[in-house]
Amino acid sequence: METTLYLARRLLQALAVILIVTVVVFCLLHALPGGPARGILGPQATAQQIAAFNHEQGLDRPLPVQYVYYLRTLLHGDLGTSYTLNDAVSRLIEQRLPKTLVLTVLSALAGLAPAIPLGMWQAVRRNKPADHVVTALGFVAYSTPVYFLGLLLILVFTQTLRWFPSQAPQGDTLSQVFADPVALVLPVLTGAASMVAVFSRYMRAATLENLAEDYVRTARAGGSRPAAILWKHVFRNSLTPVIAMLGYYVPVLFGGALVVEQLFNYPGMGLLFWSAAQSSDYPVLLGCVLVISVATVIGTLLADVVQRIVDPRVKAERT
């Protein structure tokens, strides 16, 4: 019962945040230079065209009425129309979002797979030379800009060694993307590098905290082997803060995808956002912002739910 109430409250909070996001995006739409009509029709639109557009779209009505209409269009999946691509924003995002999700999920998995055992390994060897070396390398990886790292990988693995292509898989469907898995290697590695640095540090800190707990000392006094203590007890408890941080890392993943997709010409939502920014295609920009914001809220909610499942000791008050 307590878990059900916790999940219900978190769901209501997530819905409230999403509503606030729609308010922010609505305000951004009306803050465009010359208003939404000028931003959508372009600088060459005449006053008569702008007036006709405002009347057709209901932009000459009071703002509260416009916001209700805006919410209604969102609920119907209408994010506006791209005036440079002459297509519905929702259709463009629907085509590009799955490919961005594939890239971000693969990058997250490629980053977490070494980060978790690496963090535990560092905790066991705390303050030893190996720990200091890995920490220094982690700081270098974390502080290296994604764009520079991607260029470095391209230079080494496509120009010098010639192991991988410099361009990510092309195509409008996921099957076309997966048809060339070798071309996914460099984009995934570029997105995963910072995750290894960040989450190995989180895992190291969480492992050190759990190694100092009473249950570890009790298990040691009972004769349990260090490896059994580490993997049967400390591992699961140390995952809780890492899972929580993963939900908050969603916007970072999408932000990194924007750079990676532009760098490797990967046809995902990040490249769509970049192209829209180059052409001042405001409907596409705001549609992408809305989708990424909602994805962040959902990611945080899922992280809280998984955290609750992994560690039932997490109380409902911790949100």
Side-chain angles (χ1 to χ4, degrees):
M1 183 63 180
E2 181 183 354
T3 302
T4 303
L5 292 176
Y6 171 75
L7 296 178
R9 191 174 72 173
R10 289 296 293 118
L11 181 60
L12 289 176
Q13 291 174 345
L15 292 175
V17 173
I18 291 175
L19 189 63
I20 294 173
V21 168
T22 63
V23 173
V24 173
V25 173
F26 177 78
C27 293
L28 289 174
L29 182 64
H30 284 267
L32 296 176
R38 178 67 67 183
I40 294 174
L41 297 179
Q44 305 301 324
T46 64
Q48 292 79 9
Q49 290 174 328
I50 291 177
F53 180 86
N54 286 336
H55 181 72
E56 179 183 352
Q57 300 296 323
L59 297 175
D60 53 356
R61 301 176 183 176
L63 285 179
V65 176
Q66 291 186 45
Y67 177 70
V68 173
Y69 177 77
Y70 174 70
L71 277 183
R72 188 173 65 183
T73 58
L74 287 182
L75 292 175
H76 286 84
D78 185 3
L79 298 176
T81 303
S82 168
Y83 63 84
T84 58
L85 299 175
N86 195 27
D87 200 355
V89 175
S90 57
R91 192 198 318 275
L92 294 172
I93 293 178
E94 182 181 353
Q95 292 173 350
R96 306 293 187 93
L97 182 58
K99 285 172 278 192
T100 296
L101 289 176
V102 167
L103 179 62
T104 52
V105 169
L106 290 178
S107 298
L109 293 176
L112 287 176
I116 291 176
L118 183 61
M120 297 182 68
W121 181 81
Q122 283 186 264
V124 173
R125 291 161 177 78
R126 180 185 183 186
N127 294 331
K128 292 183 178 180
D131 179 31
H132 294 310
V133 171
V134 174
T135 298
L137 292 176
F139 283 139
V140 171
Y142 179 72
S143 59
T144 302
V146 176
Y147 198 87
F148 177 78
L149 178 61
L151 287 176
L152 187 63
L153 292 177
I154 290 175
L155 179 64
V156 173
F157 291 103
T158 70
Q159 303 301 315
T160 304
L161 299 177
R162 300 185 183 276
W163 289 357
F164 304 105
S166 60
Q167 184 171 263
Q170 302 297 301
D172 296 329
T173 63
L174 286 179
S175 60
Q176 292 174 306
V177 171
F178 286 118
D180 191 10
V182 176
L184 274 174
V185 173
L186 291 185
V188 169
L189 288 180
T190 304
S194 62
M195 284 203 67
V196 176
V198 171
F199 282 90
S200 63
R201 297 298 298 172
Y202 278 116
M203 194 64 187
R204 178 184 182 275
T207 303
L208 287 174
E209 181 180 349
N210 279 276
L211 286 174
E213 294 290 338
D214 292 337
Y215 74 88
V216 174
R217 287 193 288 268
T218 302
R220 286 172 178 168
S224 298
R225 292 182 299 109
I229 296 173
L230 189 65
W231 292 105
K232 288 184 179 180
H233 304 289
V234 174
F235 172 67
R236 178 174 178 178
N237 292 331
S238 300
L239 279 180
T240 302
V242 174
I243 292 173
M245 282 306 304
L246 187 60
Y248 298 109
Y249 209 73
V250 171
V252 180
L253 287 173
F254 274 102
L258 188 152
V259 178
V260 172
E261 290 181 13
Q262 190 275 333
L263 184 61
F264 291 95
N265 194 32
Y266 182 77
M269 201 168 72
L271 186 59
L272 176 67
F273 186 90
W274 180 275
S275 302
Q278 297 295 103
S279 60
S280 299
D281 196 342
Y282 297 112
V284 174
L285 290 174
L286 294 177
C288 291
V289 168
L290 180 63
V291 170
I292 293 174
S293 301
V294 172
T296 302
V297 174
I298 295 175
T300 305
L301 176 62
L302 291 177
D304 287 342
V305 172
V306 174
Q307 183 184 14
R308 179 82 175 188
I309 295 173
V310 172
D311 189 357
R313 297 172 301 172
V314 177
K315 301 298 180 183
E317 291 81 6
R318 292 178 59 186
T319 59

